[in-house]
Every structure is written in C-alpha cells, then in structure tokens.
Amino acid sequence: MAETVLTNTGLDRFLELLDGRPEHRDPAFRRAAEVVLGLLALRGADRTGGLPEPTPELVRRLLVEDLPAFVHVAPGELAGYPAVVGELAAWFDDGVRERIAAAVEESAGDFERAMTDPGNLTWHRWYASLLRTMGTDLTDPEDVRRRLGALEGAPLPDGVLRTDLMGRTALADTVLTEAVARAYVRDAEHPPAAGPLLGDHAVAAGIGRVAAALLDRWTAAGLADELTGAHARFAPGPDDFPHLVLADALLDEHMDYHGDPAIPVPPPHAVEEGEAERDADALLAAVEELAEEEYEPYGGEAPHLLYALYQRGCAADSIARRAAEYEDWTVDPALEDVPVTVPEGAGGPYATPPVPELVRLLGSAGLGEDDRARLEGPARELAAVADRLAATGLVLRSGDAFGLTPRGAATVRYLLRVRRVAAPTAAEAAAWSARELAAAAARWPHAPAARVLADWLRARGDTAEAWTELLAALGAVHAHASEGADVRALFGLLDTAAAPPGALRAALRDPVIGAYALHALHVRGEEADPVQVPPSARALHLLDRLPGKKGPLESRRAAFDAAAADWPGGSAALLRELTAADPHGTRRVLGPLGVTPP
C-alpha cells in the first residue's frame, strides 16, 4: 500500500491538525489527502516543517499533470483534491496561502478537463473506473482480481483507441518511475529532517515495484500486477502494436504536406470499418516487403502513396500519371488531383494507357508512342507496388487506376488518428462551423473539397441560412492571409445554380467574394446590381481570373494589361486595390509578370 511505501509525507500530522469536521473524516477526503501529500512530497516539496509545502508550480503540476496521469477519482470526488490543497496551504504563512489559492483557482478548469478527458486515461485509470461501476471494493485485491476477469472485451470510451491508452500508460509509467528514482536520490544526497520518503527495503524490491504499489493505491489494489500478469492482454504495450511504425511514416508524410497534425485531411468518400489493428498490421507487412530491393525504385514510396491517396479524399489516382510525376515529366497542376474512373473487370497485367488517354491524364499535348514506351517501364514498376498493396484487400488496382478500398480508407484513417493527425469522418466534418470548414477545405484537392462542402450544406437542408453562413465564411477569411486565394476558390466548387437567390444577393456586398456572387447570379440569368459590389471584391475576382502560372509570360502580362485598362484609374489604381485586398496573392500572381505592387 502507498502509505507503507511513501513514509514521512506528513499525512498523520495533517489529519490531526484538521478540526474534525465530518467532511474531513470522509474516506474520500482522507484518500485525497494521502494522494496530494504523497505526490507533493514525491515531487520535492519542502518537508522541513513536517508537511510538504505547496508552491504554485507544484500545485499546477499536481492538478493538471500528475493526478490525471496516476490517480483514479470518482466524478463526485474531484472537488476534494483542490480542497485538500487549500487546507494544506492554510498551515503556512499568508503569502503561501494567497499564492496557492490563486494557483488552485487558475488551474481549476484545466484540472476538471484533464481528469474527465478520455484522452488522458491510462489502462489503470480506465479499468479502475470500470471496476468502480461494478461495485468493486477498490481496496481489496481479491475483489479486484475476481471482477477484472469479467471485463474481457469491455468497450473503450467513445473516440479513444487502444493505442491512446497504451501510449498514455507508457508515458505515465515512465514519469512516475523517474519521479520515484529522483526522490530516492534526492533524500540520499540531502537527508531531510522529516525523514526519507522511501525506505531501503522498498527500493531494494525495485523502483518499478514501488511505482506499481503507488498505482495500486491510487487506482485499484492489485491492479498493476494483474495488468502485467494474468490479465496482461487487457493492457497491451508498445510491442503489441507493430503498425505504429507505419503510423509514424504517415505522420511524417502529413507533416511534409501540411506541417501541423492539427490541419485536417479530407474525409473519405466511402468507409468500411474492419478490424483496424489487424488491417494495419497487414498493411505494415506489405510496406516492409516493398522496401526490399526487388521492388525498387518505387517500393520505398509505399507510405507516401497511401497518404497521397487518402489526402485525395480516397479518390482513385492514375498509375501512369503518378509514374510520370516520379520521372519528372510535366503534368498540368490542374490535373494532379483529378480523380480517375475505376474500370470494371480490368484485372491482369498492367498496360500503359494509349496516347490519347495519356494526353488527357497529363495535360501535355504532343505526346506520342515513343513517350508512351518510355513511360511503360516506370508505370509497370509502380503498378507492381500497387498490386502488392492490393493483396491486403486495402488497396485496389484496376487497369491504370489505383486507390484505397473503403476498408483501406478506414485503416489509413486509423493509422493517422493513432498519431493524432486530424482525420475527420464525414459526419465530423459536417458538424464543423462554416469557418472551420472553409479553413480546412482550402487546403484540400478540389474534388473532396467540393464533396464535403456539398455535404455540409445538405446536412443543413440547403437552407438560405446555411448558404449565408458558408458564403460569409468564404469572405470572412482575412484577405491578407497567404491562403486567401485558396479560400475564394472554394466558391467555384459550390453548386450556385441551386443556391437560394437571397443568399447570393446578400453576398454581393461582401468585400471579398461580392463579385463572385454577382457572376453567379448573372450565370443564373438573374438581375443583380453591380454597384453593390465593393471595389476590393471586383479587384480580387479579376486577380483570380488571370492565367496565373499557365501560358507564356507575354500572354499573361497582356491579360493583366487588358484588365487594368478597363479599371477606373488604370493599372496604378488597380494595383493599389489589389495590394490592399490580398498582398500575398498579388505578389504571387503579378510578381513573375514584372508588375511590382506599390
């Protein structure tokens, strides 16, 4: 038991000093006192006066880090832990009391969130909570052992993966073991007047055993031994999840694409849930085999291919187009993410598409049979990689098309979520706010972005209110942000032919997308007052319609000069308006043309 492992914490003295009120005699309060004093002492609180002296730093760590990592607390007993801290601080001078009161108040919200967040659960805390709901006496190791066996196959909290519990448990074990070791060394080097926290007999059994004894007292008696012994299968460790290697590789891919795991990838268009861990292990086996020499030069690209397929919304890609990119052929950027049709019954050996299809896929005119022959070898090698992945049932390859199957989409999403990459389901994306949706969809290929935007509106009944909210979000993104043009481009993905006319008319006055709304109304054959459109919106619409990076510089400059000639005040006035509305987009588009913003 922890009280026989951590000695000289001042617990008995603390309980004696209290006034004997009923709440102080409650077993839950006494347990909270034991935990709080023990953790403060373990973390190095000064015990010169017989009680561990709290500091703001120690209290914040206790409430927000240590208790959520090591201690199971019934929901109705949470308030007892800050209360113990307050009672303890009362025995020190006024300065300490005031600082600790401020620290407790400042940490109160974070403490409650941390203690109730399923993402902070460890195996020990989770099973202790389940055992408590079964009426288990958590201080009785025999009752714990007997009832634990009934939890075979117990479901996890919503949204929590076994890998989440495993990772949190491994981290908590490491942190607690290190804290125990440091406490022992600290007391050995500078023996405290109050006496050591750990006796030599306890440490002789091993620091790990001391940590296990503490977890037993702070969660459920005997639980630590059960989860490393007879019921070890209930609490798998890192070695039970070999596919974490692949999850790490996919995280690396995401960071290469976006630089932040919080930036979401688009939800798949179709998902079939399977046994995610087993499927992930199968995918890892294929990826590891592909890394062998016989699959060079593209075998090592398997994690990239899996991620690239997922970030397309799991739409199928072209073997030939992907091989051409690997071979540094010119591929029209507008076609890189365009989905391809998966032909029915096109199994068998891979064959490079005919020249007209290659022209369509790559956007490169002038290709001939010689080019097709040059691409045949790389395309076949890439197809062999796709076929090995397809042997798992998680990837498909039919003719020139390859992609993730619905079960493969679920597997890759699982692997991304294992490493906390934002990989929403379609339902989760549909529940976003309009601003969240616009910020995310601006980073996606157009096909999945268009689908998710339509789903978002459909989930709200395609009402005028929903359209107004979404159009406002497209216009509300700060025009000075580097992704402003990408957000405005989302307007072109909307089915404005079906939009309520009132929503489009209300958008006419928007300083960012007003001209987009005007154009959409004109396409529908409806009257609209162009005077309502602000100059900034007209300038941005003009900028976004310029050829950009396509075509010869001379023709692109001519297109700008023609637009500037019709602008009130000429090119200088247009440049001032553009620079004020979107400086990033203006420099990106006009800089290569030799047009320098003021």
Side-chain angles (χ1 to χ4, degrees), residues 175-322:
V175 171
L176 183 55
T177 301
E178 289 179 351
V180 171
R182 288 196 184 105
Y184 180 72
V185 171
R186 184 172 57 243
D187 285 357
E189 292 178 344
H190 305 285
L197 279 177
L198 298 162
D200 291 336
H201 67 283
V203 176
I207 294 296
R209 292 299 303 163
V210 175
L214 289 169
L215 287 176
D216 275 358
R217 180 62 179 174
W218 295 340
T219 56
L223 183 58
D225 279 345
E226 290 295 326
L227 294 182
T228 56
H231 293 93
R233 66 188 183 282
F234 284 19
D239 292 343
D240 296 301
F241 299 94
H243 54 260
L244 292 179
V245 173
L246 181 54
D248 288 335
L250 293 176
L251 171 61
D252 289 343
E253 292 292 335
H254 184 81
M255 297 301 288
D256 286 344
Y257 270 71
H258 298 296
D260 184 351
I263 294 175
V265 286
H269 60 87
V271 171
E272 177 187 328
E273 298 294 344
E275 296 185 39
E277 292 178 14
R278 182 176 299 177
D279 287 341
D281 287 341
L283 204 52
L284 172 65
V287 168
E288 289 180 335
E289 182 179 333
L290 286 168
E292 297 174 2
E293 186 175 349
E294 65 179 288
Y295 285 101
E296 289 185 352
Y298 302 124
E301 294 294 317
H304 172 73
L305 292 172
L306 292 169
Y307 180 85
L309 289 170
Y310 193 93
Q311 69 88 30
R312 295 164 56 85
C314 298
D317 199 355
S318 159
I319 292 282
R321 185 166 61 201
R322 183 65 62 176

Side-chain angles (χ1 to χ4, degrees), residues 40 46 52-61 63 82 85-108:
L40 288 174
D46 185 355
E53 180 175 345
T55 66
E57 294 76 15
L58 287 175
V59 167
R60 278 191 285 269
R61 172 184 270 182
L63 295 176
V85 174
E87 295 280 6
L88 177 62
W91 297 100
F92 295 89
D93 62 41
D94 290 342
V96 171
R97 288 199 295 271
E98 291 174 1
R99 290 196 300 273
I100 297 309
V104 169
E105 182 178 2
E106 177 187 312
S107 304

